[in-house]
Amino acid sequence: MRELADGRFERYGVRLLVKRDDLIHPDLVGNKWRKLAPNLAAAAGRTVVTFGGAYSNHLRATAAAGRLLGLPTVGVVRGQELADRPLNASLARCAADGMRLRFVDRSTYRRLPEPATLAAVLRAADATRAYVVPEGGSNALAVRGCRALGAELRGHADVVGVACGTGGTLAGLAAGLGREQRALGVAVLGGGFLGRHTAALQEAAFGHRVGAWSVEDRFAFGGYARVPPALDAFAADFEDRHGVPVERLYVAKLLYGLLALTEEGAFPRGTTVAAVITGAPFAG
C-alpha cells in the first residue's frame, strides 16, 4: 500500500492510496493470479480452456500460468476474421507461452453461455475433457479467491476502487472488506450489465449479495481496449507525477474515474480512497 501526494485529490480533501497488486508476480499479476489460482487447482492437471478478445489480459495470464505450471491451455478468441491475420502482440505472447488459439465468429462467441454452443466449440478445439474457465476468469472460485484482496484492505480506506471487465474481482473485493468500507467498480466497457453480473457472481459464490458495492460505467471511453488520446495523456501524466506504471485498458480508466468523481464531489472531505492497481502495462 502506498499513499500518493496528488494535489488534484487533496484540494477536495481526499486522500489517495494505491494497492500495488501489479507486483504480485511478473507474469500473473494482480487480480489475474487471485482469480486463476483456485481454478488452476481445480483443473487438477487437465487442459484449461478459456475465452477472450484479441487483447485479453486474461488470455495472456492463463497462457503464462500454463507455461509456468506445465498445463496445456486453449484460448478461444472472439473474431473468426482474426484467424487469417498476423497475431497481434498480445496473442503472439499467448502462442509463445504454448496456448493453442482457436478463433470463433462473433455470433458463436456470444452464444457460448449456451451448453450446446460451448460443447460444439470444445469439440472443435479437441478439448471436450478440458477444465473450462469463463471469459475474464470470473466464476465462483475466482470470486472467493479475490475475497482476500478485500481482507488485505480492511482498515486502510473508506472507498476501494477497482477496474472491472466481468465483475469477479469486484464481487470478491466487496465480500472481503470491512463493514464500514465500500467497493467501487469502474467498468472498462459499456452496456450496463456489470452490476447484474457482479450480483450473480456473489450469489454463485456466497449464496447472496455481500458487502457494500456499486458500479460506475461512465468511464469506459467507448469500450474495451479503446484508449483515446485524452485517456492516454492522462495515464502518461499520472506516471510522470507518481512513478507508477499505468496499464491503459483497465487501470487508466479506474484512475481517471476516481479523479472525475472526486472533482464532482462524490467523496466527502476526509475520505480515503484506495485504487487497486490490478495489472502492469503490456510491453508487447
Side-chain angles (χ1 to χ4, degrees):
M1 188 75 65
R2 174 184 166 192
E3 181 171 0
L4 302 183
D6 193 315
R8 296 171 298 178
F9 289 85
E10 291 169 351
R11 71 169 58 98
Y12 294 93
V14 174
R15 181 171 169 244
L16 178 65
L17 310 178
V18 289
K19 174 78 164 68
R20 295 292 305 275
D21 255 25
D22 58 313
L23 301 178
I24 286 179
H25 189 282
D27 294 311
L28 301 174
V29 297
N31 64 333
K32 301 307 178 188
W33 170 245
R34 295 181 188 274
K35 292 160 77 174
L36 276 173
N39 277 289
L40 295 173
R46 286 179 287 165
T47 296
V48 173
V49 175
T50 193
F51 314 88
Y55 296 93
S56 170
N57 291 334
H58 168 66
L59 286 181
R60 285 204 314 275
T62 304
R67 171 176 55 80
L68 293 167
L69 299 175
L71 287 174
T73 59
V74 177
V76 177
V77 184
R78 180 178 63 249
Q80 179 62 43
E81 73 278 5
L82 301 174
D84 299 324
R85 300 178 186 175
L87 297 179
N88 65 28
S90 186
L91 293 177
R93 176 68 63 83
C94 292
D97 279 337
M99 176 174 273
R100 285 195 294 121
L101 300 175
R102 301 287 300 190
F103 297 87
V104 300
D105 65 84
R106 294 169 188 272
S107 175
T108 299
Y109 194 93
R110 285 193 296 270
R111 299 198 309 274
L112 282 172
E114 301 171 6
T117 301
L118 176 60
V121 169
L122 293 178
R123 284 195 302 272
D126 193 23
T128 56
R129 298 179 181 273
Y131 181 84
V132 176
V133 178
E135 182 177 21
S138 291
N139 57 12
L141 284 176
V143 170
R144 295 187 196 113
C146 289
R147 184 167 48 185
L149 172 61
E152 292 167 16
L153 284 158
R154 287 181 186 171
H156 290 286
D158 304 298
V159 178
V160 180
V162 65
C164 299
T166 54
T169 304
L170 175 62
L173 166 66
L177 291 173
R179 292 183 179 181
E180 73 287 354
Q181 297 173 287
R182 68 180 177 95
L184 173 64
V186 173
V188 301
L189 66 166
F193 64 89
L194 195 58
R196 297 191 303 275
H197 277 209
T198 303
L201 285 166
Q202 287 198 331
E203 186 74 27
F206 310 118
H208 53 86
R209 181 165 174 151
V210 186
W213 57 268
S214 61
V215 172
E216 176 57 68
D217 60 6
R218 290 184 291 142
F219 305 108
F221 282 88
Y224 183 72
R226 295 185 180 178
V227 185
L231 181 63
D232 187 56
F234 168 83
D237 176 69
F238 197 96
E239 291 173 331
D240 289 343
R241 288 171 183 261
H242 302 298
V244 175
V246 177
E247 186 273 335
R248 297 308 200 257
L249 305 189
Y250 286 84
V251 177
K253 294 179 179 181
L254 167 68
L255 296 171
Y256 187 99
L258 291 178
L259 178 57
L261 289 167
T262 297
E263 292 172 341
E264 291 171 5
F267 308 123
R269 297 188 72 86
T271 298
T272 296
V273 174
V276 180
I277 309 299
T278 48
F282 177 53

